[in-house]
Amino acid sequence: MTPPAGAAEGAAGTDGVAAALLDGQGRIVWWSRAATELLGWTGEEVAGHLARHYIADAAPPDRRQGPPGGGRTMRLRHRSGHVVDAEMRLVRPDSAPGVLVLAMASGGGGGGPDRDRDLGRALLTQEGVAFAQFGMDLRPLRTNEPFEELRPQSSEDEWLSDLVNVQDGTSARDLLSQVAETGAMVVGAEYRLTSDNTPVVLSLTCFRVEDALGMPVALAVVASEVTERRHTRRRLTEAYRRAIDIGGSLDMAQVAQDLVEVLVPALGDMATVDFPDDVLQGRDPPLGDARPKTEAARRTAAKSAYGPWPPELLQPGELLPPVAESREIAPRTVGGVIVSDGELSRDILGRDPELVARLVPEGLRHSLGCPLYRRGRLFGYANVYRTRDATPYDEADTKLMRELCARTALAIDNAFRFNREHRTAVVLQRSLLPPAATDSAAAETAGAYVPAGGSVSVGGDWFDAVPMSSLRIGLVVGDVVGHGLPASASMARLRTAVQTLADLDLPPDELLTRLDDLVLRMKGEAEDPDGVGASCLFAVYDPVTRVCEMASAGHPPPAVVLPDGSVDFAPLVPGPPLGVGDNPFEVCSLTLPPGSVLALYTDGLVGEHHDPVTGMERLRENLRELCDGERSLERIGADLIARRPSAQSPPDDVTLLLARTRAVPEGSMASWEYPADPAAVQRARADVDAQLAEWGLDDLRFSTELLVSELVTNAVRYAGSGPLTLRLIRNRGLVCEVSDPSNTQPRLRRARSTDEGGRGLFLVAQLSERWGCRYRARGKTIWTEQAIDDPAGA
């Protein structure tokens, strides 16, 4: 309800007084906000109603009795139903018709408006509260003495503009204008005085003052200085923030340096950290709360806020001199913090002049010392000093020191645990890998494995070169998901499975399918199936046909370096990683000239910065430069790894397998084809006898004739009508193969004395060093290998 003209004037000076304007019939035509607060009725609810309806048990005052302004106590009805005792008085406005009724609740301290004036007077005279009142035009009306002490010696306008909010840069004048406009109270806003040479931060609380009619009349400001409190809070907050970096390295010296970088300037201007030699050398200190021998303690890190570490003090890397036991240093053994000054520090050192000169900074005022204690082991000791700041250390400083040292001890303990597990995993990993270099009739190979550095545990990367039948070689590289001992164990299972499946002479795609089934079973056994998986590349190279067949399960394709120096990647289509299931793998075939180099690798070699495309291009360029025919494969592998951006500490395991192919000369291989007829046995023996004589292998003629007789006889018996193929290959050994269209699996068994047959394969096994059977697209091949006494002469 808008007050009629003259009503506001009649209510002037009645701050906090409820007011209502009545017309000549006693109806309410205006109702103040204070009246709503007193009785709960809004102006819209009471407009037009008779005023006597809101009186509980007395008749309305007779305006004909006595002069206007006479008052009496009356009981008024509240909107909620209860009764409010109020002192009533009437005022006849000069410019508004009717009667203005003023009411003030009785009790609660009495005094009416005087109570508010008393409160304002007390606020202005409080010594510990800085208070000021500003007009709506932002000009100061009243200030108390504490406020004047905070305000710098400048004009009020300049002062309001010079106070800048520490968060958004707005001025205190903007703050007052905002409160004056919106009426929203602002509590605890921090402002920095920019015009003063000494930084001063004030906390301002500002609110708007309204009169009884709800009209804004002034702005109140309560101020307090928080400069020192803010500085302390900021210093501690910054220290806790920087403490996150402690333990980011597994290097003990770096952990110590990280600690002193936080201690200075958070707690002092000089700091040191001392570690026993056991800790620096990667050995756990002994259990127990006994302090380590000072002879074995070494200064590991030191920092001064004023430049280089003073030369007269003990330098990093030097052994601590012996210090006699004393009760002052007993807290070192139980994790306590020693708070001392210069005198106590000298007492701890027995006031030995040499020790004091080497261990106590000049001008020492106060110091904190705290052990790095964890799991019953004392890993070291940290000290921080104040040499120019005379402020003693308080409880917050001691708490911070204790927490920083506890965090450092935890970081060191974690580093020890990681290093132990890492060493164990690396030893296990290397013991499960094959020899770094192999030499066979099919290829010369060289493998390299570099475990991940930094805080990453060893992974499950592996490589292998598996000898296969008929001089062929299987090349495999794999990468198991995860790190640590579980990954190494999974790698061992997969490598064993690959060797077993390769011994069955399975083609690459079928081998990966069987391996995929194994990984699926491993996932079913694991507590975390999502953490089980692997990628794998398997290739088979035949030196007779010079064909390399390969298949990939989520693994990058190998690089191929031809003898002319050209480098390219095999046009291999990778299948899904192992453990997905129900997906076929595609075989890629390449014919390689002798002297070609195959480079099989894991993504740790090319995946730097998560950009394998760039890594593969870099690998192509390096191979083109390094594979010039003069370097050994071991040297090429070492140079490839050394040229990585993070060669010293790779973010992931790096595995590389290089193979330089060889070929069997055409004159060292002979083959014949026979019909499935018993007469083929005699022809085969004659052909073999003549070929061995030509090769000068007379010492193998007898055994080879027996082998051929048994194999061809079995083929004639079980092959049906299909043709038979006999092949001899001479290299470092003599390989004899008999192929037929039958898929019958030959089995070695022990024949009884009464059996007429069953001794053929037993003779084959006795006459050869190795023998076996492999299946082709149609039929099978039974093969044997015999050693040649003089392979060089052959």
Side-chain angles (χ1 to χ4, degrees), residues 478-669:
D479 186 357
V480 174
V481 173
H483 294 271
L485 293 176
S488 297
S490 298
M491 179 273 287
R493 295 181 64 179
L494 293 181
R495 179 172 178 247
T496 302
V498 169
Q499 290 181 334
T500 302
L501 296 172
D503 196 49
L504 296 176
D505 279 308
L506 296 178
D509 56 339
E510 186 173 349
L511 183 143
L512 291 181
T513 300
R514 302 286 183 87
L515 204 62
D516 185 55
D517 294 338
L518 172 62
V519 176
L520 286 174
R521 290 196 295 272
M522 293 170 59
K523 295 182 72 170
E525 300 169 357
E527 296 181 357
D528 180 18
D530 294 336
V532 178
S535 65
C536 183
L537 173 69
F538 184 73
V540 177
Y541 175 69
D542 189 341
V544 177
T545 63
R546 304 173 185 177
V547 173
C548 181
E549 295 183 334
M550 62 188 71
S552 169
H555 211 81
V560 181
V561 185
L562 298 179
D564 61 4
S566 61
V567 183
D568 204 351
F569 291 93
L572 181 64
V573 179
L578 299 175
V580 176
D582 300 329
N583 285 280
F585 299 98
E586 185 174 335
V587 176
C588 172
S589 297
L590 298 174
T591 300
L592 302 176
S596 300
V597 176
L598 282 170
L600 289 72
Y601 52 89
T602 57
D603 54 5
L605 182 67
V606 298
E608 189 80 9
H609 306 303
H610 307 285
D611 186 5
V613 176
T614 302
M616 292 175 67
E617 288 302 317
R618 186 171 59 245
L619 175 62
R620 185 204 303 268
E621 296 174 2
N622 291 334
L623 285 172
R624 184 181 295 113
E625 179 182 346
L626 296 174
C627 295
D628 55 5
E630 298 180 359
R631 290 184 176 88
S632 65
L633 293 182
E634 292 85 350
R635 177 66 182 278
I636 294 174
D639 290 344
L640 284 175
I641 294 176
R643 292 188 177 191
R644 296 183 70 259
S646 327
Q648 299 300 324
S649 182
D652 194 7
D653 288 14
V654 177
T655 303
L656 175 65
L657 177 62
L658 298 175
R660 181 176 282 130
T661 63
R662 292 173 174 151
V664 175
E666 294 182 2
S668 297
M669 189 272 294

Side-chain angles (χ1 to χ4, degrees), residues 160-199:
L160 290 176
S161 300
D162 289 343
L163 270 178
V164 177
N165 189 282
V166 298
Q167 298 294 332
D168 55 18
T170 59
S171 67
R173 175 173 290 277
D174 297 330
L175 171 70
L176 267 63
S177 298
Q178 175 186 349
V179 174
E181 180 179 354
T182 64
M185 183 178 181
V186 177
V187 179
E190 293 187 355
Y191 284 75
R192 180 184 293 109
L193 186 61
T194 58
S195 63
D196 198 354
N197 294 328
T198 302

Side-chain angles (χ1 to χ4, degrees), residues 6-14 89 91-94 100 102:
E9 291 81 351
T14 58
R89 67 187 180 95
V91 177
R92 188 182 302 278
D94 297 334
L100 181 65
L102 303 179

Side-chain angles (χ1 to χ4, degrees), residues 20-327:
L21 183 64
L22 311 181
D23 62 9
Q25 287 75 37
R27 298 181 183 274
I28 300 174
V29 296
W30 175 75
W31 186 265
S32 72
R33 182 182 302 177
T36 299
E37 295 175 355
L38 179 64
L39 299 181
W41 306 93
T42 65
E44 289 74 11
E45 291 175 329
V46 300
H49 291 270
L50 293 173
R52 66 173 178 268
H53 292 165
Y54 302 97
I55 300 176
D57 57 0
D62 188 353
R63 51 192 174 96
R64 291 173 296 178
Q65 297 177 359
R72 57 182 294 190
T73 300
M74 304 190 70
R75 296 169 60 83
L76 306 178
R77 287 194 302 115
H78 194 274
R79 192 176 190 277
S80 62
H82 67 272
V83 177
V84 177
D85 291 333
E87 295 183 4
M88 309 285 295
R89 67 187 180 95
L90 304 179
V91 177
R92 188 182 302 278
D94 297 334
S95 56
V99 176
L100 181 65
V101 181
L102 303 179
M104 177 178 292
S106 301
D114 293 336
R115 178 182 56 188
D116 295 334
R117 286 193 291 270
D118 294 339
L119 178 62
R121 186 182 303 108
L123 186 61
L124 286 170
T125 57
Q126 279 293 325
E127 294 184 0
V129 178
F131 177 81
Q133 186 177 16
F134 291 82
M136 297 302 293
D137 57 358
L138 308 188
R139 293 185 178 276
L141 301 179
R142 289 178 291 183
T143 59
N144 64 358
E145 185 175 350
F147 191 92
E148 288 296 326
E149 292 177 355
L150 289 179
R151 185 175 67 83
Q153 300 302 319
S154 63
S155 67
E156 290 79 2
D157 291 343
E158 293 177 357
W159 178 66
L160 290 176
S161 300
D162 289 343
L163 270 178
V164 177
N165 189 282
V166 298
Q167 298 294 332
D168 55 18
T170 59
S171 67
R173 175 173 290 277
D174 297 330
L175 171 70
L176 267 63
S177 298
Q178 175 186 349
V179 174
E181 180 179 354
T182 64
M185 183 178 181
V186 177
V187 179
E190 293 187 355
Y191 284 75
R192 180 184 293 109
L193 186 61
T194 58
S195 63
D196 198 354
N197 294 328
T198 302
V200 175
V201 178
L202 301 179
S203 175
L204 302 182
T205 296
C206 183
F207 56 92
R208 196 168 67 181
V209 179
E210 299 177 351
D211 62 12
L213 302 178
M215 302 296 293
V217 295
L219 299 171
V221 177
V222 180
S224 59
E225 184 176 1
V226 294
T227 306
E228 183 59 30
R229 184 185 67 185
R230 178 178 178 81
H231 172 72
T232 302
R233 184 171 66 245
R234 184 171 61 249
R235 174 174 58 85
L236 296 179
T237 301
E238 177 66 15
Y240 281 112
R241 185 189 66 79
R242 296 183 60 189
I244 299 176
D245 298 332
I246 297 177
S249 172
L250 298 175
D251 183 1
M252 297 298 103
Q254 185 59 49
V255 172
Q257 189 63 37
D258 291 342
L259 178 57
V260 297
E261 293 290 341
V262 177
L263 292 176
V264 178
L267 289 175
D269 47 31
M270 300 181 75
T272 61
V273 175
D274 306 325
F275 283 161
D277 279 345
D278 283 345
V279 173
L280 294 174
Q281 296 171 8
R283 298 190 299 267
D284 270 340
L287 281 171
D289 55 3
R291 186 167 60 92
K293 294 181 179 180
T294 55
E295 291 82 3
R298 190 177 299 273
R299 179 133 299 170
T300 309
K303 182 181 180 181
S304 171
Y306 310 115
W309 187 249
E312 65 274 9
L313 295 177
L314 193 72
Q315 298 297 306
E318 295 182 350
L319 288 172
L320 265 71
V323 178
E325 297 286 350
S326 64
R327 60 183 179 85

